[in-house]
Structure formats: C-alpha cells, structure tokens
Amino acid sequence: MKTKILIIYTGGTIGMVLDNKTNTLVPFDFEHLYKQVPEVEKFDLELSVKSFDKPIDSSDMTIDAWQKLAAIIDDNYQLYDGFVILHGTDTMAYTAAALSFMLENLGKPVILTGSQLPIGMIRTDGKENLITAIEIAAAKNHGTPVINEVAIYFEYKLYRGNRTHKYNAEHFDAFKSPNYPILAEAGINIEYNYPCLMPKPSGELKLRLDMDGNIGVLKLFPGITPAVVSSVLHSNGLKALIIETFGSGNVTTQEWFLNEIENAVSQRNLVVLNVTQCNQGAVNQGRYATSKGLLKAGVIGGSDITFEAAVTKLMYLFGNFSNIDEIKTNLSKNLRGEITAA
Ligand code: ASP
C-alpha cells in the first residue's frame, strides 16, 4: 500500500502566483498543485490536498484557525501517514508551537513549510521546501514514521516546531532553533539527527482544542514607566503575563516594579513567566541579584523557551487546566520538547 500524505494549504506566499492581468500576487488553487509543481507527481506516494476556504496571510492567524488545523489532523489521523502544512512564514513558529501543544501524543509527522518567494516565481524557494517536506512526512523506519512531532522544514533544515523562531525577513534561510539542535539536514540525502527526535508516544493521540488567549506581554527596557507597567498588569481579563527580561532573566531592582509584580502574583493570582529577550540561552532566576526579586515574588523561570512557545504553552495550559498550581507546575515542565528541563 502506498504511503498517504495530506497537504493542508492555509495561505501565505508559497501558494501565490503572479496574475498577469492585474500584476499582483494571488493565491493559486492548491487543488491544482500538480500543474504548479509537476515534480511531486513523481513521488511514489498518494497525495491529497485540502485548502482553507479562504487562504490567509499568516499575520491573520487566529486561535480559531489553529483549532481548525488541529481538527483536520485529528479527523484524518488514521487515514494518512503524515501531514504537510503550507503556511506563511510570519507566524509559522507560533502555529507549529500551538499545534505541538494541541496534538498530545502525536505519533506521526506534521511538517510545516512555506517560502520567501511565491511558488509561481522562477527563483522560488517554495518547490524545494514543499518537495522535501513531503519526503520527510513520508519517511519511515521499519514501517513506523521517523518524525513523531510538529516540525518546520525550511531551506534544507528541519527544526522542532516549538523551538523555532523566524529571525530573517529576507533571506531564504529564515528560521533558527537557537536552543535545540536541528532535527535533520537535507543534502544529497536527508540526514536525521536521531538522538534529538521525539520518541514514539505510548498513548493515543489526544486533541487539546481549548486555547485561552488571555495572555499579556511586558517587554522591559531601561526607563520603562510605572504607568506603563501598571496598565499592562491591570489589563482586563489578564490571566498570565510573560515578562521579557534582560540577559539570563534580570530586571530592575526598583521597589515600585517588584511590588507591582509581587502584588499581581500573590493578590490577583496572575501567572508570571520570565522569558529572556536574548535570542539564545536560558533564564536562570537567582543567578544575579537583579533576578532574585522575581524569584521571591513567585515568578516562574521560562528556562530556554522561545517567546512563541511561551505564548502558546500558556494558552494551552489555561485552556486545559483550571487549577493555578497545576498550571504553574506544568509551566516548569518539559511537556512537548519545548524547554530543556526535567
Ligand atoms: N506575510 C506572509 C505570511 O506570513 C509571508 C510569507 O508567506 O512568508 O503569510
């Protein structure tokens, strides 16, 4: 029996072609994939394509769209051996992280890819990205999938989805996974980094559709005013706050600031997560005097989590757990390979 792959087109540059009449980029009908990328017909695979009714620029991504995507994978889980999601690059890392939390016990590959140049353009990076993403989604070892997780394939590299960050708006090489090794590299062969891949889960796939968007972010800078800090901390409906801190998780030691944070945690049960502004490395609360105050205030250290994974992990935890202590415990745990922790 042929290996079956489902390609889901959500939108983004990869699916665009130049409309000669209007001279603008318009989404092409992905049902006619073979016309645009005839190479994929040569695969000895059974490929099916599903497209969002209205393809979106990924900057318009929503929790609703993530739920739709996760539900498509769940509905088709038994029918296909792997999934390829075509997605705009701008929020691809958020979608990959969100899906990693929404698809608990994932035992098949879910590979996101896209491109910097539309597939209808001569110099497009989209064809290679799509063709190799399909090959990775179909890869098996003794009959079982090589990849058991949500990953991003881009410009010859496969990254763990919830470790990835878009760091370049121009280059073909647009993504990085600064705190986790790449999962595979495509050259003449696709070389998998086996020790770093997610093992096959023991349980059945569990769909975790609920995501709570009441998450706030406070990015610190020297000179930030008490009024700004206070307005973020008192936002309507706020359940969790990510503080983007300096270096290994450091903040100002000014009393007004630490009091605001301490009150929010102890009196209003706000969950506060410390994530570094640095692109690489981890938060280590207590290492410097400038982070001891946060530790004392009950702020949780985010370890080496990306901002994208921090946002979606909090959405997932507040969507699926009601007990604050349970949420805090899970926040410090490595749930889907998103942090280096016990
Ligand atoms: N703005 C586009 C998007 O993210 C860019 C891209 O497709 O890469 O949807």
Side-chain angles (χ1 to χ4, degrees), residues 40-329:
V40 298
E41 231 171 346
K42 294 189 187 145
F43 275 128
D44 187 25
L45 301 168
E46 206 177 307
L47 297 178
S48 311
V49 181
K50 262 192 200 311
S51 186
F52 272 19
D53 295 339
K54 269 205 192 119
I56 54 169
D57 184 297
S58 78
S59 298
D60 272 327
M61 192 42 71
T62 57
I63 289 178
D64 275 4
W66 288 338
Q67 288 167 333
K68 202 157 99 183
L69 263 177
I72 291 175
I73 291 168
D74 184 58
D75 288 346
N76 290 280
Y77 196 68
Q78 300 307 335
L79 302 174
Y80 291 90
D81 300 282
F83 302 85
V84 172
I85 300 176
L86 301 174
H87 194 288
T89 54
D90 289 350
T91 64
M92 192 185 288
Y94 289 90
T95 297
L99 289 178
S100 76
F101 295 113
M102 296 168 94
L103 301 168
E104 189 173 334
N105 289 333
L106 183 65
K108 292 187 179 181
V110 173
I111 314 295
L112 285 97
T113 195
S115 68
Q116 295 282 62
L117 277 180
I119 216 151
M121 287 178 85
I122 296 173
R123 288 185 55 247
T124 186
D125 51 331
K127 283 193 183 183
E128 198 287 320
N129 285 346
L130 173 62
I131 289 166
T132 307
I134 292 172
E135 196 161 336
I136 291 170
K140 289 187 186 172
N141 234 346
H142 306 294
T144 56
V146 174
I147 302 295
N148 299 289
E149 58 186 291
V150 180
I152 290 181
Y153 178 74
F154 219 84
E155 192 63 7
Y156 305 108
K157 292 187 193 88
L158 185 72
Y159 307 92
R160 173 160 298 160
N162 56 29
R163 291 288 199 154
T164 310
H165 170 68
K166 181 176 181 184
Y167 84 101
N168 200 312
E170 226 175 287
H171 290 175
F172 285 152
D173 196 3
F175 290 92
K176 261 196 190 346
S177 159
N179 286 327
Y180 198 75
I182 53 168
L183 304 182
E185 189 151 18
I188 292 177
N189 297 308
I190 300 172
E191 299 288 350
Y192 290 95
N193 184 2
Y194 286 100
C196 290
L197 304 181
M198 275 287 187
K200 193 158 189 63
S202 46
E204 293 288 295
L205 178 75
K206 213 186 231 169
L207 186 62
R208 300 283 203 163
L209 272 190
D210 293 329
M211 299 286 271
D212 189 330
N214 287 298
I215 313 298
V217 180
L218 178 65
K219 184 164 189 161
L220 296 183
F221 52 89
I224 194 166
T225 64
V228 167
V229 170
S230 171
S231 72
V232 174
L233 277 161
H234 288 88
S235 305
N236 244 344
L238 190 71
K239 292 183 182 166
L241 180 79
I242 296 168
I243 325 183
E244 283 200 273
T245 57
F246 311 123
S248 54
N250 306 317
V251 298
T252 174
T253 52
Q254 292 176 84
E255 218 174 281
W256 65 264
F257 177 80
L258 291 172
N259 284 344
E260 272 281 9
I261 302 287
E262 198 164 340
N263 287 344
V265 174
S266 61
Q267 286 165 28
R268 291 184 282 122
N269 257 341
L270 195 76
V271 171
V272 183
L273 182 66
N274 183 349
V275 175
T276 176
Q277 290 179 16
C278 294
N279 288 325
Q280 193 161 10
V283 162
N284 183 350
Q285 291 192 138
R287 180 165 170 207
Y288 287 89
T290 42
S291 64
K292 280 224 163 92
L294 295 181
L295 199 58
K296 206 174 126 249
V299 171
I300 295 162
S303 179
D304 56 358
I305 200 164
T306 60
F307 177 72
E308 293 86 336
V311 169
T312 51
K313 187 173 183 178
L314 283 166
M315 286 177 168
Y316 157 73
L317 290 176
F318 276 91
N320 290 277
F321 299 87
S322 47
N323 181 301
I324 288 287
D325 292 326
E326 206 176 349
I327 289 175
K328 287 184 177 174
T329 311

Side-chain angles (χ1 to χ4, degrees), residues 1-19:
M1 223 171 53
K2 280 191 181 180
T3 298
K4 292 171 82 178
I5 304 296
L6 178 62
I7 301 172
I8 308 163
Y9 174 56
T10 66
T13 302
I14 190 164
M16 304 267 175
V17 285
L18 193 67
D19 179 0

